[in-house]
């Protein structure tokens, strides 16, 4: 059984700036962390990358935090 940290309300704020997310998480995150930030499963993150809602980083293994921030706004 996996345990994930409880999301803080600041993670859910649509007004949270792109720079704020980058300062908190860095330029890119793994797909599990991307799912945590977005409030979705890791498999949904794969679908979001495939349809262009968020962008994979240059190596394809991580997700751009800036694209997550843009999606959340």
């Amino acid at each position: 059984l996996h345990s994930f940290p409880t999301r803080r309300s600041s993670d859910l704020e649509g007004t949270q700036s792109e720079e704020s997310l980058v300062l908190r998480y860095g330029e890119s995150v793994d797909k599990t962390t991307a799912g945590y930030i977005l409030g979705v499963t890791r498999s949904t993150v794969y679908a979001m990358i495939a349809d262009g809602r968020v962008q994979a980083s240059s190596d394809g293994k991580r997700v751009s935090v800036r694209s997550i921030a843009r999606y959340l706004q």
Side-chain angles (χ1 to χ4, degrees):
L1 182 65
H2 295 288
S3 158
F4 292 96
T6 304
R7 294 180 63 170
R8 287 178 264 191
S9 61
S10 63
D11 289 333
L12 302 173
E13 292 174 10
T15 59
Q16 191 169 19
S17 76
E18 184 175 314
E19 290 304 318
S20 172
L21 279 176
V22 170
L23 285 172
R24 184 170 187 174
Y25 295 103
E27 287 291 334
S28 66
V29 292
D30 61 45
K31 291 175 178 76
T32 301
T33 303
Y36 168 76
I37 296 167
L38 291 161
V40 301
T41 64
R42 192 171 64 158
S43 56
T44 300
V45 172
Y46 280 95
M48 293 175 80
I49 291 168
D51 67 20
R53 286 178 279 174
V54 296
Q55 295 176 336
S57 62
S58 59
D59 67 3
K61 295 179 181 178
R62 298 172 65 81
V63 182
S64 161
V65 171
R66 292 183 187 279
S67 74
I68 293 171
R70 287 190 296 271
Y71 176 79
L72 290 174
Q73 291 178 352

